[in-house]
Amino acid sequence: MGENKKLEEIIRELFHQNTEGEYWDFKELPYFYEGQEKSEINKKKNDLLHDIICMANNLSNHEAYLIMGISDNPVEIIGVEKYLNRWSQENYLDFVHSKKWAGDYIPSLELRTIKNGTGAELDILVIHKSSRVPFYTKEKYQSVKPNQIYVRKGAKNTSINKQAEIQDIEKLWEFRFGIVPYPKERVLNYIKDIDSWIKMKSSYEGMSWYYEKFPEYTLEFFDDPENEDFRPPPFALMQTNARSSWHILRVKYHQTILLEFSAHYIDETRGIAVHPKSAFLKLFASYTKSEYVNSYYYYFEDSPEINLMWLLKSLNNHDNGALSKHLSMIPIFENSQQKESVEKLINNGIEEHQKLVFESKEKCYVGYNNNLSGEDQEYARIDMATTLMVKAALDKYKMEQFYQ
């Protein structure tokens, strides 16, 4: 997915929350544009520096967004396209770098302009996540005080004439000193660092790797003897080659298991799929064709399951084919709110979506090397049909949200 497309989806989701939050803030107007009085420009510079410090020091330690072109009360898209000569990324960077920062640690910024479905432009000042928090300046700038730590907590900035609360400042220093995140949280970032995993062992039983920067973190992929006689899951049977096998995937810190998943070779051994999560609808609660299922598979974006699959693809030098086909069949939600919205739409249109399940079944094809009877192949197609319908419903929902 392109960077702008990904950002558009993030901002759209934040907009639909209908409120500001701990790492995003709505601004009806751009900070700077043609025609402003000098006094207003000076005030906006004061506000901008305070906003940047607060958002860089958000207590979620999350990438933060100053979203220009959306009003906050009510939350409405106004757009910034009518404002000429708005500040560019270079202007924002020059402004921030002109200040004296403690430790010479400067928040990392990026200005991006996106459009919504109606053509309205939004300027997004992205403040990148950093382990160098807390950020604060060494010299006074207008009302922004030196050596004073401001934070973003909930949907509020620390008042410009006050210091953040001591427990909030302590939390930021914990991020700086690596006390937090804890091992399980840290490894979620490490599995995205694809080039830093080194193979330890490879045999007919399985494989293992360690994380080069912190070798106490390891990854294991090995046979699952308890499930070896089970039929492959339906998503594996839909690959070109339906031969598959059950495995266990573990991420460990020393000897402690931080994450554990069922996983499968797919398309024989051309790819590895981490077993998706499952959820249930109300489509067939009273339907006479009881062989159709209410359950479906899904993932969340940027989840451990997704990131581990991309890591394993790279570590095993697999091509894109098997994994790309797998991900094309499974709905991938941005978050639980989006999942709930799609489920509500489906459950409120039972008859329409039942028909879509039937149509989806006709698009399912079990691959060769499946070793299944004709009846079992039919059941595999039925088991997969609801998932394909949810995937189509999610794609439609995203498109409709984009053009709202």
Side-chain angles (χ1 to χ4, degrees):
M1 181 184 294
E3 288 300 312
N4 254 30
K5 179 68 174 174
K6 186 175 181 179
L7 182 62
E8 287 169 8
E9 293 193 1
I10 291 170
I11 301 304
R12 181 166 60 250
E13 192 63 32
L14 298 179
F15 170 74
H16 284 292
Q17 292 198 31
N18 207 39
T19 185
E20 296 175 323
E22 190 152 88
Y23 57 88
W24 71 95
D25 199 12
F26 297 134
K27 304 290 181 183
E28 183 172 345
L29 305 177
Y31 282 94
F32 306 104
Y33 52 91
E34 187 176 284
Q36 287 175 297
E37 297 290 338
K38 186 175 181 180
S39 59
E40 183 183 3
I41 292 173
N42 286 334
K43 179 184 181 305
K44 286 291 186 180
K45 286 182 176 179
N46 183 67
D47 294 344
L48 174 62
L49 182 59
H50 180 239
D51 285 341
I52 289 172
I53 295 172
C54 289
M55 299 306 278
N57 290 337
N58 74 80
L59 295 185
S60 297
N61 196 225
H62 194 287
E63 182 174 85
Y65 311 99
L66 290 168
I67 305 168
M68 292 167 264
I70 298 181
S71 61
D72 62 351
N73 189 19
V75 176
E76 291 180 347
I77 295 177
I78 307 299
V80 297
E81 62 277 1
K82 66 182 179 181
Y83 297 97
L84 303 178
N85 295 324
R86 306 190 301 272
W87 263 25
S88 65
Q89 175 167 300
E90 184 178 3
N91 295 133
Y92 283 103
L93 292 177
D94 286 346
F95 174 75
V96 170
H97 283 260
S98 69
K99 306 298 173 281
K100 294 188 180 300
W101 295 87
D104 293 327
Y105 292 146
I106 303 173
S108 174
L109 309 180
E110 181 181 2
L111 181 68
R112 304 270 286 282
T113 299
I114 62 174
K115 290 186 178 182
N116 78 335
T118 63
E121 288 187 358
L122 303 176
D123 279 351
I124 316 297
L125 190 61
V126 180
I127 299 98
H128 294 297
K129 175 182 175 178
S130 175
S131 61
R132 292 176 172 176
V133 292
F135 292 101
Y136 56 97
T137 56
K138 295 189 294 184
E139 292 183 352
K140 185 176 186 296
Y141 179 79
Q142 296 191 41
S143 301
V144 177
K145 297 183 178 180
N147 302 310
Q148 186 148 309
I149 296 174
Y150 303 108
V151 306
R152 177 77 169 188
K153 183 177 184 179
K156 290 187 176 182
N157 292 341
T158 305
S159 175
I160 203 165
N161 59 358
K162 292 183 179 179
Q163 176 94 287
E165 296 178 0
I166 186 63
Q167 63 268 28
D168 295 333
I169 296 173
E170 288 174 348
K171 184 174 182 179
L172 294 177
W173 283 110
E174 287 177 349
F175 285 117
R176 169 79 72 91
F177 294 136
I179 299 171
V180 291
Y182 299 114
K184 188 171 182 178
E185 296 173 272
R186 288 187 208 175
V187 82
L188 298 180
N189 289 320
Y190 298 162
I191 60 179
K192 299 178 188 179
D193 187 7
I194 288 173
D195 295 329
S196 297
W197 289 86
I198 308 297
K199 182 173 283 188
M200 290 194 298
K201 176 184 175 183
S202 180
S203 71
Y204 71 93
E205 294 178 338
M207 298 174 284
S208 60
W209 301 263
Y210 68 90
Y211 185 56
E212 186 176 26
K213 297 175 183 176
F214 299 100
E216 60 269 29
Y217 290 90
T218 56
L219 177 65
E220 299 176 350
F221 178 80
F222 56 92
D223 292 341
D224 183 357
E226 292 186 8
N227 290 335
E228 63 181 356
D229 295 327
F230 283 15
R231 191 178 81 181
F235 53 80
L237 293 169
M238 301 300 135
Q239 292 283 338
T240 303
N241 187 331
R243 184 173 292 168
S244 180
S245 51
W246 288 79
H247 294 261
I248 294 173
L249 178 63
R250 284 179 179 158
V251 182
K252 297 170 71 174
Y253 174 66
H254 295 293
Q255 294 304 309
T256 301
I257 299 172
L258 300 178
L259 301 168
E260 181 174 292
F261 302 98
S262 288
H264 314 270
Y265 272 121
I266 53 174
D267 202 9
E268 197 166 31
T269 57
R270 294 177 180 84
I272 295 174
V274 178
H275 203 88
K277 299 177 184 293
S278 59
F280 295 86
L281 301 166
K282 301 175 183 177
L283 280 178
F284 300 104
S286 59
Y287 197 78
T288 54
K289 291 188 177 181
S290 58
E291 68 268 23
Y292 283 91
V293 297
N294 287 305
S295 62
Y296 71 92
Y297 297 109
Y298 71 95
Y299 295 112
F300 284 120
E301 284 184 9
D302 199 31
S303 61
E305 294 93 330
I306 293 283
N307 292 323
L308 282 167
M309 284 189 286
W310 288 114
L311 174 60
L312 288 167
K313 172 190 169 296
S314 176
L315 295 176
N316 289 284
N317 295 314
H318 291 150
D319 61 28
N320 285 327
L323 181 55
S324 294
K325 181 167 184 177
H326 174 70
L327 295 177
S328 74
M329 296 186 289
I330 311 293
I332 303 174
F333 297 103
E334 292 175 6
N335 50 44
S336 57
Q337 291 87 356
Q338 187 183 69
K339 173 177 172 287
E340 290 168 6
S341 296
V342 172
E343 288 180 340
K344 184 177 179 181
L345 285 173
I346 293 170
N347 288 327
N348 287 341
I350 297 291
E351 187 174 342
E352 172 193 354
H353 290 94
Q354 283 176 345
K355 291 178 181 177
L356 290 174
V357 172
F358 306 150
E359 292 173 7
S360 295
K361 193 204 83 169
E362 300 307 314
K363 300 174 185 176
C364 292
Y365 297 96
V366 177
Y368 67 90
N369 275 343
N370 59 75
N371 296 322
L372 299 178
S373 66
E375 183 179 18
D376 284 341
Q377 289 187 44
E378 181 71 1
Y379 279 127
R381 296 169 65 206
I382 288 171
D383 286 346
M384 197 63 198
T386 303
T387 296
L388 292 177
M389 179 277 294
V390 177
K391 174 69 166 60
L394 172 61
D395 291 344
K396 181 180 178 183
Y397 173 83
K398 286 182 175 180
M399 187 64 68
E400 290 174 347
Q401 292 295 306
F402 180 77
Y403 285 107
Q404 280 188 3

